[in-house]
Structure formats: C-alpha cells, structure tokens
C-alpha cells in the first residue's frame, strides 16, 4: 500500500491553519522543525493545561486529500494546511491504519502512527458547520473522526510534495486508532 505527499505545512506560532512549504524537515523524536507542535512533550494548549509532562504523540498531523474532495462536494472549500495538518497525502486510507503503522515518507523519514486527531470547535470557527462533516456517526452509532491521524517521528529527514508514502503494517493483532 502506498500513496504520495501532496503538500507539507508548518507554523512557528499557534494558529489553526498552517502555511504550505516547499519542504519540511522532520526531527526524530520531536516533529516538524520550527513547528509550534514539535517537542517530546505535548504542545497542544488544552493538553498542556491538563499535564504538560505527557509525551507528545501528536508530533506530525497527516490528512488525506480525499477528505477535501468530500468536503468540497458538501459545499466547503478546504485546501492543504488549512485544517492544521503538517502533511497532506493522496491515495492512502489513513483512517483505516492501525496504531503502530510505520509510514516511510520519501527517502529517509519514518513516522509511527499513534492515533486519530480529535477535531475541536476551532474547525467550526474556520468554516461554520465543518465540524459536523469531519465528526459523525456510523450505522452502529459509533463516533467517526475524519480529520486525520497523528504520528511521531521515528527517523527524520526532509519531506516535500511528490514524495512517496509507503505503509508498513505492524504485526497483528492490530489495534484500531483512537484519539490522541
């Protein structure tokens, strides 16, 4: 299973959206160089308020470009980086990956998938009504989160648009993604 990088984004200050870059450097154990969410401990404001010593399982946020197409069909205009992700992919069902999946990005980078992004009210502040489109329920009534996945950097390096993303599933049994 493989896909590709469509866009990379980072921001040194807290803001919802992140500007696209020509490339980003990922640092092992830290995240995206210069990004406000890089570090060994949590950087998300609400998580820091609860316990700033928690490990940072949200070093790199990935979203599948296919979500933007789906949102476009529902009347929303969303482009890479606008939902705060660092890497926008194409051709991978990111949400179906199990915890511990390794994503080999480009020539050097390896990301370890840690869980789902838990969408927050800021998504509605970005575009009213969008939150209900990225969080819903399946036929059994279970909450479905579509706003991407989170990962940590296992092996660092440079990543840019056009890089391949190869999936290496962990040995079973697989653990479904949960919000981190």
């Amino acid at each position: 299973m493989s896909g590709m990088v469509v866009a990379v984004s980072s921001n040194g200050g807290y803001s919802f959206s992140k500007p696209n870059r020509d490339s980003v450097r990922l640092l092992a154990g830290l995240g995206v160089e210069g990004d406000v969410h890089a570090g060994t401990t949590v950087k998300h404001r609400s998580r820091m308020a609860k316990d700033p010593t928690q490990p940072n399982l949200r070093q790199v946020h990935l979203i599948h470009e296919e979500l933007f197409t789906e949102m476009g069909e529902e009347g929303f205009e969303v482009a890479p980086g606008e939902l705060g992700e660092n890497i926008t992919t194409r051709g991978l069902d990111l949400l179906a990956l199990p915890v511990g999946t390794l994503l080999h990005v480009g020539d050097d980078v390896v990301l370890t998938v840690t869980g789902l992004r838990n969408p927050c009210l800021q998504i509605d502040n970005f575009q009213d009504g969008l939150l209900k489109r990225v969080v819903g329920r399946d036929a059994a009534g279970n909450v479905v989160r579509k706003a991407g996945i989170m990962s940590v950097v296992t092996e660092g390096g440079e990543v840019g648009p056009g890089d391949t993303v190869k999936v290496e599933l962990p040995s079973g049994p697989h653990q479904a993604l949960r919000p981190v």
Side-chain angles (χ1 to χ4, degrees):
M1 185 176 0
S2 66
M4 69 174 286
V5 174
V6 175
V8 293
S9 311
S10 67
N11 197 340
Y14 282 103
S15 68
F16 182 70
S17 297
K18 296 184 181 199
N20 293 156
R21 309 288 183 193
D22 292 335
S23 66
V24 292
R25 173 164 292 287
L26 301 183
L27 305 173
L30 294 174
V32 179
E33 184 177 54
D35 191 80
V36 70
H37 291 104
T40 57
T41 57
V42 293
K43 301 300 176 199
H44 192 276
R45 288 179 172 170
S46 67
R47 285 167 172 63
M48 287 184 346
K50 289 179 186 173
D51 179 3
T53 66
Q54 296 175 70
N56 187 2
L57 301 178
R58 302 165 55 95
Q59 293 175 359
V60 180
H61 176 198
L62 297 95
I63 286 184
H64 51 294
E65 181 185 52
E66 293 82 356
L67 176 65
F68 303 150
T69 302
E70 180 184 328
M71 297 301 100
E73 292 168 359
E74 297 181 26
F76 295 94
E77 289 186 35
V78 183
E82 289 186 335
L83 294 183
E85 76 277 10
N86 300 110
I87 298 177
T88 308
T89 65
R90 179 185 303 139
L92 290 175
D93 186 357
L94 296 175
L95 303 177
L97 299 174
V99 172
T101 297
L102 299 179
L103 299 175
H104 298 267
V105 186
D107 295 330
D108 303 313
V109 172
V110 178
L111 302 175
T112 302
V113 175
T114 56
L116 293 169
R117 175 192 185 182
N118 195 18
C120 64
L121 189 57
Q122 288 185 53
I123 291 177
D124 265 352
N125 293 337
F126 172 67
Q127 285 187 42
D128 191 42
L130 188 57
L131 181 60
K132 287 186 179 182
R133 301 298 183 254
V134 297
V135 178
R137 295 201 179 267
D138 63 16
N142 299 310
V143 174
V144 176
R145 294 169 178 87
K146 301 181 195 178
I149 64 171
M150 307 308 281
S151 64
V152 295
V153 182
T154 305
E155 294 181 32
E158 201 82 15
V159 173
D163 284 349
T164 60
V165 181
K166 295 178 186 162
V167 174
E168 181 183 342
L169 295 173
S171 56
H174 292 163
Q175 180 184 354
L177 297 177
R178 299 173 45 126
V180 293

